[in-house]
């Protein structure tokens, strides 16, 4: 299934020969047209569908939807690292860009992140949403929950999406009733969720640092390096005003604590306060891998020390640092979305009602308010289609009824 990603209100003609009505669409708020990938809610939703096996091609109808060179490079790299093609306008973005270009460097970093932390790694905690072949009702229910409660699709539309997913065997035809049955069960006239669904706010999914992670109370130093690394780390630790409670060697000499294992702890649990590295040339397979590991750690608020020197900036080139960090931020947000339904308050109907009331009090016409709600990708009451003056009037009338 193709995923159609656009910024601002949908236009009658996209200039690329695409049939938007036949695709899963994610619409970004027009006010985010110059924002980075971390702030682009709809972009994260679109790529998360690719990570979950639903989307097979991401189409962006206009160059202006990703004008910024860094955001464009990071977006395309993240999608292509999943083995999924991406088209901007009529151009298929190539996975073999000019050496040293922003696209080349972004793709190199994205590949390293995916080699170390592939999307399937979420399955270790039992929270993977879907895998090829639709093996369980629970995985289907988790995906349906995301589509309904995270992306605002009706159960009928979710059934249609399930039917259109490429490469999955379906034991029967999906219907709205079928989607409802896997989401809910009834007992004594009450409805209960059939499965457990983890929900997080959008703000939480994009938080940097480690203080919000479950293991942030720990005070552990990870040591990565040659045979003398642990002794060097202990000497460094003794010089600190607040020594670590535990020094833990990781890396090739410790099969149960690989580099990938270390990054999972840093990204998802937050156990480590410091990463101490010696002989980086022997520890990391490529310079790109070193930069990616360090930036993931720094993003999560982990102090990085290399051969006794603190590392605060991964690369001497500030433009490359921005490219690397924006890719890290997007990757981290997508990793949270793999294992939770994300609730975006700014995309809710309640927010649409509040926005409409505010603009009405400023004297805006119903038609002008409808155009603004479309620009900001705020959902209609049905979750599909565009806003109209009559729909805005009903929205405001419902608020007045609630106030009585």
């Amino acid at each position: 299934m193709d995923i159609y990603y656009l910024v601002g209100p949908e236009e009658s003609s996209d200039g690329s020969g695409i049939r938007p009505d036949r695709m899963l669409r994610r619409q970004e708020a027009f006010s985010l047209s110059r924002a980075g990938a971390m702030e682009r809610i709809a972009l994260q939703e679109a790529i998360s569908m690719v990570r979950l096996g639903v989307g097979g091609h991401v189409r962006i109808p206009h160059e202006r939807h990703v004008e910024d060179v860094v955001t464009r490079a990071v977006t395309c790299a993240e999608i292509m690292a999943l083995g999924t093609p991406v088209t901007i306008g009529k151009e298929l973005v190539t996975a073999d860009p000019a050496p040293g270009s922003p696209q080349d460097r972004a793709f190199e970093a994205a590949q390293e992140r995916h080699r170390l932390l592939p999307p399937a790694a979420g399955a270790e905690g039992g929270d993977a949403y879907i895998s090829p072949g639709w093996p369980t009702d629970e995985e289907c229910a988790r995906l349906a929950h995301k589509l309904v409660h995270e992306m605002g699709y009706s159960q009928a539309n979710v059934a249609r999406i399930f039917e259109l997913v490429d490469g999955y065997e379906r034991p029967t035809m999906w219907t709205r009733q079928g989607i409802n049955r896997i989401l809910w069960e009834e007992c004594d006239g009450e409805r209960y969720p059939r499965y457990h669904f983890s929900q997080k706010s959008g703000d939480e999914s994009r938080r940097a640092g480690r203080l919000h992670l479950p293991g942030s109370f720990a005070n552990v130093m990870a040591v990565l390096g040659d045979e003398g690394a642990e002794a060097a780390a202990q000497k460094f630790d003794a010089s600190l005003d607040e020594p670590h409670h535990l020094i833990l060697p990781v890396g090739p000499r410790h099969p149960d604590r690989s580099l990938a294992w270390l990054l999972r702890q840093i990204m998802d649990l937050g156990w480590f306060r410091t990463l101490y590295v010696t002989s980086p040339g022997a520890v990391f397979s490529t310079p790109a891998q070193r930069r990616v590991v360090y930036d993931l750690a720094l993003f999560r608020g982990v102090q990085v020390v290399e051969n006794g020197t603190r590392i605060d900036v991964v690369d001497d080139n500030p433009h490359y640092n921005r490219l690397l960090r924006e890719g890290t931020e997007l990757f981290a947000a997508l990793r949270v979305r793999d294992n939770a339904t994300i609730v975006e308050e700014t995309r809710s109907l309640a927010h649409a009602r509040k926005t409409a009331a505010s603009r009405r009090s400023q004297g805006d016409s119903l038609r002008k308010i409808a155009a603004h709600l479309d620009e900001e990708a705020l959902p209609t009451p049905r979750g599909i289609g565009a806003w109209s003056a009559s729909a805005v009037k009903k929205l405001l009338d419902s608020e007045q009824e609630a106030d009585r």
Side-chain angles (χ1 to χ4, degrees):
M1 178 191 295
D2 289 353
I3 299 179
Y4 179 83
Y5 169 76
L6 70 155
V7 178
E10 190 164 345
E11 301 174 7
S12 57
S13 175
D14 58 30
S16 62
I18 294 173
R19 291 285 301 279
D21 59 315
R22 294 187 178 276
M23 289 182 264
L24 192 154
R25 297 194 302 273
R26 301 316 301 156
Q27 181 182 344
E28 199 76 77
F30 184 72
S31 60
L32 296 177
S33 61
R34 297 185 181 277
M38 183 67 152
E39 288 76 37
R40 292 189 176 219
I41 296 167
L43 176 64
Q44 294 169 26
E45 292 171 345
I47 301 177
S48 72
M49 289 294 96
V50 177
R51 288 172 67 93
L52 297 174
V54 175
H57 192 148
V58 177
R59 297 184 182 272
I60 303 173
H62 295 286
E63 291 273 355
R64 65 176 179 269
H65 291 173
V66 281
E67 285 182 303
D68 183 81
V69 173
V70 169
T71 300
R72 173 180 170 140
V74 165
T75 297
C76 294
E78 184 63 37
I79 296 167
M80 291 188 296
L82 295 161
T84 301
V86 54
T87 299
I88 300 180
K90 295 182 179 180
E91 177 189 357
L92 179 66
V93 180
T94 175
D96 187 25
S101 66
Q103 188 63 73
D104 177 57
R105 305 198 80 175
F107 186 57
E108 179 185 50
Q111 284 183 307
E112 282 295 343
R113 295 187 201 98
H114 281 259
R115 272 194 285 264
L116 292 167
L117 293 173
E124 294 180 3
D127 290 330
Y129 276 94
I130 191 168
S131 55
W134 302 89
T136 68
D137 283 349
E138 184 174 2
E139 286 183 308
C140 293
R142 286 171 173 166
L143 177 59
H145 192 268
K146 285 181 73 70
L147 290 168
V148 172
H149 296 282
E150 180 175 318
M151 302 187 193
Y153 288 101
S154 68
Q155 291 182 358
N157 280 340
V158 171
R160 181 172 175 268
I161 290 169
F162 273 29
E163 286 293 324
L164 291 174
V165 172
D166 299 327
Y168 292 106
E169 298 176 1
R170 288 172 288 278
T172 184
M173 180 177 290
W174 285 98
T175 63
R176 178 186 64 78
Q177 292 84 357
I179 297 296
N180 188 66
R181 279 195 296 271
I182 65 172
L183 285 174
W184 303 96
E185 59 185 346
E186 291 192 12
C187 181
D188 298 328
E190 297 288 336
R191 287 207 314 169
Y192 301 94
R194 186 175 294 275
Y195 298 103
H196 170 73
F197 304 109
S198 175
Q199 290 193 178
K200 293 185 178 181
S201 72
D203 289 341
E204 183 180 358
S205 73
R206 292 181 287 275
R207 284 181 67 183
R210 62 187 280 259
L211 295 181
H212 63 289
L213 299 179
S216 61
F217 62 87
N219 184 8
V220 182
M221 178 192 290
V223 182
L224 185 64
D226 53 21
E227 292 183 1
E230 193 170 351
Q234 289 173 344
K235 182 178 179 180
F236 171 79
D237 189 54
S239 69
L240 299 176
D241 293 335
E242 183 185 351
H244 296 77
H245 298 154
L246 175 65
I247 296 177
L248 186 67
V250 298
R253 296 186 297 113
H254 305 276
D256 295 335
R257 300 192 293 272
S258 65
L259 184 58
W261 175 88
L262 170 65
L263 287 178
R264 286 197 296 273
Q265 313 311 306
I266 288 174
M267 295 301 294
D268 303 334
L269 297 177
W271 296 110
F272 296 103
R273 188 185 106 196
T274 301
L275 171 61
Y276 193 96
V277 180
T278 64
S279 304
V283 169
F284 301 111
S285 59
T286 64
Q289 186 179 82
R290 170 186 171 273
R291 291 191 291 263
V292 163
V293 170
Y294 285 3
D295 201 63
L296 287 169
L298 291 170
F299 173 77
R300 274 286 174 251
V302 177
Q303 177 183 234
V304 177
V305 180
E306 185 178 277
N307 293 324
T309 301
R310 179 165 176 166
I311 303 294
D312 294 317
V313 179
V314 177
D315 197 274
D316 293 334
N317 186 331
H319 297 292
Y320 181 63
N321 281 327
R322 187 202 154 195
L323 190 79
L324 186 64
R325 176 48 57 92
E326 189 163 332
T328 292
E329 291 172 342
L330 176 60
F331 179 82
L334 292 170
R335 191 167 172 82
V336 176
R337 284 181 180 270
D338 282 350
N339 295 317
T341 295
I342 304 301
V343 179
E344 300 282 0
E345 297 297 334
T346 58
R347 297 285 288 274
S348 67
L349 195 59
H351 184 72
R353 185 178 293 110
K354 181 179 179 181
T355 300
S358 174
R359 295 185 74 91
R360 188 61 168 169
S361 67
Q362 297 171 22
D364 284 359
S365 67
L366 296 176
R367 188 179 298 277
K368 189 173 182 179
I369 294 172
H372 176 77
L373 296 182
D374 282 333
E375 286 183 349
E376 294 307 295
L378 294 170
T380 64
R382 293 178 58 201
I384 58 173
W387 285 94
S388 63
S390 60
V392 172
K393 185 176 186 304
K394 289 180 181 179
L395 186 71
L396 294 172
D397 288 345
S398 66
E399 182 185 44
Q400 294 171 358
E401 284 291 332
D403 290 340
R404 290 176 183 174

